[in-house]
Amino acid sequence: SVVIHQTGDSQFQDYERLTEKRVKDSGYMVTKWLSAEEMASVLRSADMIVSRAGINTLCDAAYFGLPMLLIPYPYISKQEQLVNAKYFAGLGAADILEQSELNSQNLLSKIDSMLNKLTEWKEKATAAKVVARVDAASKIVEESWKLIDKQKQ
């Protein structure tokens, strides 16, 4: 198993702190960012993801049919990440661990539970691929042209 921890830039110096503590060759990799190509490669080979619940990440995981354990970031207005997480949980592609319940025991318990039923989770996550619109860009262009044509009339 390999854990890839993407920290982003953080006022709490997460990347620096975690890099110092990381044990070499432990199967734990910490990085600030992954390029689109690196992220696609990681998702292609992943069994599941543990993540916040930003919509881009969720749609990427859905595209690859990956089961998700989601920890919505609670400090966003209107709780949009919780809304996203509940949507994907409703599709059967995700389980939710709210930050208020987050501790090492609960996290490991949820991951273990999902891994023990990974085949079931993957089947449900694959069915949720319908939300990943691979033709989104062409669909937007198509609809835009329809609107332009409509205004010309």
Side-chain angles (χ1 to χ4, degrees), residues 7-8 13 15 24 32 35 50 52 59 70-71 77 80 87 93 100 116 122 126-127 129 148-149 152:
T7 65
Q13 285 77 42
Y15 174 78
K24 234 182 172 64
K32 282 188 179 183
S35 70
V50 178
R52 292 296 191 179
C59 287
L70 301 175
I71 306 164
S77 68
E80 69 185 50
Y87 177 79
S100 61
N116 284 331
K122 283 188 173 188
T126 299
K129 287 177 88 167
I148 290 168
D149 288 342
K152 285 181 181 178

Side-chain angles (χ1 to χ4, degrees), residues 37-70:
E37 294 80 18
E38 291 168 326
M39 182 63 82
S41 177
V42 165
L43 293 176
R44 238 183 251 107
S45 61
D47 288 318
M48 66 175 281
I49 68 165
V50 178
S51 178
R52 292 296 191 179
I55 197 64
N56 289 334
T57 300
L58 301 185
C59 287
D60 288 347
Y63 175 80
F64 287 99
L66 290 171
M68 302 172 258
L69 174 56
L70 301 175

